[in-house]
Amino acid sequence: MAEKMPAIVKTKPAYGAELVEVDVPKPGPGEVLIKVLATSICGTDLHIYEWNEWAQSRIKPPQIMGHEVAGEVIEVGPGVDTIQVGDYISAETHIVCGKCYACRHNRYHVCQNTKIFGVDMDGVFAEYAIVPAQNAWKNPKDMPPEYASLQEPLGNAVDTVLAGPIAGRSTLITGAGPLGLLGIAVAKASGAYPVIVSEPSEFRRNLAKKVGADYVINPFEEDPVKAVMDITDGAGVEVFLEFSGAPKALEQGLAATTPGGRVSLLGLFPRDVTIDFNNLIIFKALEVHGITGRHLWETWYTVSSLIQSGKLNLDPIITHKYRGFDKFEEAFELMRAGKTGKVVFFPHKG
């Protein structure tokens, strides 16, 4: 194995990133070194690339980007006895302390001291990467690497969709970006009907149809609330899943939800949001869930089983595949323009 490797690095506090030759890391105590087989771009990576306000407050360049990953273990550090060389793993990207109030109540997904790959430490946009052994998830040998790398964001979608009953429930999804598309796949695999999607981008509306949406609405051309009411005979949807982070979509979704319905919010909003709590939530007795991360490790078992069942329609969601990192800037710019689903890198060209 070479001593150097290419990696996508946030080298300075400004827009963009660079492809840089860096040292291949060595695993320390409790860590494993993986050969990265597949790694996918997340919205968080895009924020870091764009250097938005959140990234400026959190990221400390220089730092290797990326956190969604699948790889083969090629070396284990001292004290590792649960993972072996040759294991095919994905990684839970939230490193939790196990000691805080939330962790001691088995709420690891909201650990008060969470650290994240590619955010608080070097990430996985490289040929080789370090993963804490406690964060390694063993994959079936026959799972395609591009699917295996999607398990982390798929966990977000699973927790959003399955925060309450979904089978046979009318469902509105706002936002058909990569996470929204995963949400459509999970909702359809779980028996939701009809699945209605509101998305302004024509490219993403077409992807939503391919993934299995029953109805697709352009909110810039028609009133989503009226469209939902027409589809549901005036009842409104039983389940509203918000993936867009758009304040107007939140307001429309709440208005389109039937009294006593369930709401799951995953999209992150760019600013404070003002809504009519009295009429849109309280008087309608809505059940509202905030979704972050994934439940450790319950959600991972659900995600893995859903993929192995063959019921998830993931292929249309993976719209761009790159061998190596040479065209990483193209990948990020396409994602910025809303012209992709999930983007997956296969770092090794051979």
Side-chain angles (χ1 to χ4, degrees):
M1 186 174 66
E3 294 182 355
K4 296 281 188 178
M5 64 178 182
I8 301 174
V9 180
K10 188 72 179 180
T11 55
K12 54 184 180 289
Y15 183 92
E18 296 181 64
L19 189 59
V20 179
E21 286 284 312
V22 300
D23 292 334
V24 174
K26 295 286 291 182
E31 297 178 336
V32 301
L33 177 67
I34 63 168
K35 177 182 179 180
V36 177
L37 300 178
T39 178
S40 44
I41 300 179
C42 171
T44 300
D45 303 317
L46 184 59
H47 294 327
I48 295 170
Y49 184 86
E50 293 174 326
W51 201 238
N52 68 3
E53 289 185 16
W54 170 83
Q56 292 174 37
S57 69
R58 184 76 178 265
I59 308 301
K60 297 176 175 59
Q63 186 169 278
I64 299 172
M65 296 172 60
H67 56 272
E68 299 176 2
V69 69
E72 178 187 355
V73 176
I74 60 172
E75 187 177 347
V76 300
V80 174
D81 56 10
T82 55
I83 302 294
Q84 299 177 342
V85 170
D87 283 346
Y88 171 37
I89 69 165
S90 293
E92 167 53 53
T93 61
H94 288 192
I95 303 170
V96 301
C97 72
K99 300 176 182 178
C100 68
Y101 183 88
C103 285
R104 288 172 68 88
H105 283 76
N106 295 319
R107 297 196 289 263
Y108 298 102
H109 63 298
V110 286
C111 169
Q112 294 159 280
N113 302 302
T114 299
K115 296 185 183 301
I116 305 173
F117 300 174
V119 174
D120 302 301
M121 60 194 67
D122 278 338
V124 299
F125 283 169
E127 290 186 341
Y128 301 92
I130 294 294
V131 172
Q134 70 177 22
N135 285 63
W137 173 265
K138 294 181 184 179
N139 294 314
K141 292 292 187 182
D142 60 351
M143 182 179 289
E146 58 267 37
Y147 287 9
S149 76
L150 293 189
Q151 287 178 108
E152 192 256 21
L154 191 50
N156 295 136
V158 163
D159 277 3
T160 304
V161 176
L162 301 184
I166 192 72
R169 306 294 175 101
S170 54
T171 300
L172 171 64
I173 291 176
T174 49
L179 278 172
L181 292 168
L182 291 171
I184 296 168
V186 173
K188 292 299 294 183
S190 303
Y193 183 82
V195 173
I196 308 163
V197 176
S198 177
E199 167 56 53
S201 162
E202 182 180 6
F203 178 86
R204 287 176 168 170
R205 287 198 305 275
N206 288 334
L207 285 180
K209 293 175 186 176
K210 291 179 181 178
V211 177
D214 299 296
Y215 299 91
V216 178
I217 300 164
N218 181 346
F220 290 175
E221 294 185 354
E222 60 179 317
D223 179 1
V225 179
K226 181 180 184 304
V228 167
M229 292 303 175
D230 288 345
I231 293 166
T232 59
D233 294 327
V237 290
E238 285 283 348
V239 179
F240 165 40
L241 309 174
E242 210 304 295
F243 287 90
S244 73
K248 188 64 174 178
L250 172 64
E251 180 182 351
Q252 292 169 337
L254 292 171
T257 304
T258 198
R262 190 251 297 183
V263 178
S264 290
L265 308 176
L266 180 68
L268 298 179
F269 297 91
R271 59 186 181 276
D272 290 348
V273 178
T274 300
I275 59 171
D276 182 355
F277 264 81
N278 291 343
N279 291 306
L280 291 178
I281 297 177
I282 297 170
F283 292 148
K284 293 177 73 173
L286 298 187
E287 177 185 337
V288 181
H289 299 258
I291 309 296
T292 186
R294 295 144 299 282
H295 286 82
L296 306 181
W297 286 85
E298 302 96 318
T299 302
W300 279 86
Y301 283 102
T302 303
V303 167
S304 184
S305 294
L306 279 170
I307 292 175
Q308 292 177 76
S309 75
K311 292 183 178 180
L312 282 182
N313 188 15
L314 297 179
D315 287 335
I317 299 173
I318 304 170
T319 57
H320 293 72
K321 299 179 181 181
Y322 291 90
R323 185 68 61 179
F325 295 121
D326 295 341
K327 295 184 177 181
F328 83 92
E329 290 174 310
E330 173 186 291
F332 273 96
E333 293 301 332
L334 284 170
M335 194 167 178
R336 263 193 97 215
K339 296 180 178 179
T340 71
K342 287 298 289 184
V343 177
V344 180
F345 295 111
F346 301 89
H348 297 268
K349 296 180 181 180

XYZ file of all heavy atoms in Angstrom, residues 170 228-229 232-238 255-258:
89
model
N -52.081 7.849 3.865
C -51.801 8.880 2.867
C -50.656 9.743 3.387
O -50.622 10.119 4.558
C -53.047 9.729 2.612
O -53.545 10.259 3.829
N -53.542 18.381 -2.507
C -53.638 17.294 -1.521
C -55.090 17.060 -1.128
O -55.549 15.917 -1.015
C -52.769 17.607 -0.286
C -53.110 16.655 0.869
C -51.288 17.509 -0.624
N -55.817 18.141 -0.902
C -57.226 17.994 -0.519
C -58.032 17.319 -1.627
O -58.912 16.485 -1.362
C -57.817 19.357 -0.162
C -57.239 19.959 1.105
S -57.451 18.865 2.547
C -56.552 19.764 3.799
N -57.210 13.576 -1.554
C -57.677 12.861 -0.357
C -59.158 13.116 -0.062
O -59.612 12.886 1.071
C -56.831 13.278 0.870
O -56.945 14.700 1.068
C -55.364 12.909 0.678
N -59.885 13.600 -1.063
C -61.328 13.875 -0.886
C -61.593 14.822 0.279
O -62.550 14.646 1.045
C -62.106 12.568 -0.684
C -62.092 11.681 -1.915
O -62.071 12.229 -3.040
O -62.084 10.443 -1.752
N -60.723 15.809 0.436
C -60.919 16.840 1.442
C -60.428 16.494 2.832
O -60.520 17.325 3.747
N -59.889 15.296 3.025
C -59.475 14.877 4.374
C -58.115 15.422 4.771
O -57.857 15.668 5.955
C -59.467 13.346 4.453
N -57.216 15.584 3.809
C -55.827 15.877 4.142
C -55.057 14.587 4.368
O -55.654 13.507 4.518
N -53.748 14.684 4.398
C -52.921 13.472 4.558
C -52.788 13.080 6.024
O -52.801 13.917 6.918
C -51.510 13.655 3.943
C -51.575 13.710 2.428
C -50.805 14.885 4.507
N -52.649 11.777 6.241
C -52.416 11.256 7.587
C -50.991 11.537 8.064
O -50.754 11.695 9.265
C -52.660 9.743 7.606
C -54.119 9.343 7.562
C -54.800 9.516 8.907
O -54.098 9.723 9.912
O -56.037 9.452 8.946
N -50.800 22.637 6.763
C -52.172 22.936 6.351
C -52.820 21.744 5.648
O -54.040 21.557 5.716
C -52.180 24.153 5.431
N -51.996 20.926 4.986
C -52.523 19.789 4.227
C -52.652 18.521 5.057
O -53.120 17.497 4.552
C -51.614 19.511 3.027
N -52.250 18.576 6.333
C -52.307 17.396 7.203
C -53.662 17.312 7.899
O -54.169 18.314 8.413
C -51.180 17.440 8.249
O -49.927 17.561 7.582
C -51.174 16.177 9.098
N -54.231 16.128 7.934
C -55.537 15.939 8.557
C -55.446 16.141 10.070
O -54.394 15.879 10.680
C -56.059 14.513 8.254
O -57.467 14.474 8.499
C -55.365 13.454 9.080
